Amino acid sequence: MITTKRLRLRPLTEADTDWWVHLHADHEVNRFVGGYTHQQAAARLRDIHQQWTRRGHGLCAVELKSTGLAIGRCGLNWWEQFGETEIGWTFTRTHWGRGYATEAAQAVLTWGFGPLRLERITAMIHHDNTASAAVAQRLGFAPLREDTVLGRPCTVHALDRDDFPSP
């Protein structure tokens, strides 16, 4: 479990399936990350659990410390085809613009570069996702390359441990 001033991040489990479907049901939220059926969400959450078991990291539910309300997800995802660990974040639309993505991602980067000793973390951001690109820039990421992720073009941003402005 990772905590910040306002947030608590905990590993996602299959028990989060209904919530995961709901999070991705909003068209504005899923515009860049896609939506999920209940079956697809359960399979994705099983994959996330396996990553936690195999690699010691994965995606987390992001909850408000004050209420326990789950407001999004943030964490690390290993991409075998790229040989890279990516950070990602997705939040409910009602919680956009409050700095939660930056706060959660900062904590995940501190964990990734600290105890996990990762050398580089990428952020794969689809074109036109200006909000996520702004978060990545605030965190110190720089564009690395253009690529295709899940059939869609994106810019892969990168941050190396030596360049991480740890808090």
Side-chain angles (χ1 to χ4, degrees), residues 6 11 45 59 76 106 118 141:
R6 303 180 295 169
L45 289 165
L59 293 176
L76 299 172
Q106 180 76 37
L118 297 173
F141 281 83

Side-chain angles (χ1 to χ4, degrees), residues 21-107:
V21 170
H22 179 73
L23 171 66
H24 293 88
D26 182 314
H27 174 70
E28 286 299 308
V29 172
N30 76 32
R31 190 167 66 148
F32 301 109
V33 295
Y36 290 81
T37 65
H38 193 273
Q39 185 177 6
Q40 290 168 328
R44 178 67 178 117
L45 289 165
R46 280 191 297 276
D47 290 344
I48 290 168
H49 176 73
Q50 288 174 0
Q51 187 178 155
W52 274 101
T53 301
R54 278 185 257 169
R55 300 197 73 84
H57 61 69
L59 293 176
C60 299
V62 178
E63 302 169 339
L64 293 174
K65 279 172 57 174
S66 61
T67 65
L69 177 68
I71 62 168
R73 65 170 177 85
C74 185
L76 299 172
N77 185 58
W78 170 253
W79 288 86
E80 189 68 40
Q81 71 263 40
F82 301 115
E84 295 173 352
T85 302
E86 176 207 22
I87 188 170
W89 49 81
T90 302
F91 286 81
T92 58
R93 190 176 351 169
T94 57
H95 292 90
W96 288 358
R98 300 180 189 187
Y100 293 133
T102 302
E103 184 175 334
Q106 180 76 37

Side-chain angles (χ1 to χ4, degrees), residues 76 78 83-86 109 112-113 117-122 141 144-145 156-163:
L76 299 172
W78 170 253
E84 295 173 352
T85 302
E86 176 207 22
L109 290 169
F113 288 130
R117 305 294 297 157
L118 297 173
E119 290 296 324
R120 171 178 279 175
I121 297 174
T122 61
F141 281 83
L144 176 67
R145 69 176 187 276
V156 178
H157 297 75
L159 180 60
D160 293 332
R161 181 174 44 198
D162 291 343
D163 298 326

Side-chain angles (χ1 to χ4, degrees), residues 3 7 12 16 28 57 70 77 85 101 104 114 131 136 147-148 154 156 162:
T3 59
L7 307 172
L12 285 158
D16 295 305
E28 286 299 308
H57 61 69
N77 185 58
T85 302
D147 217 316
T148 301
C154 71
V156 178
D162 291 343

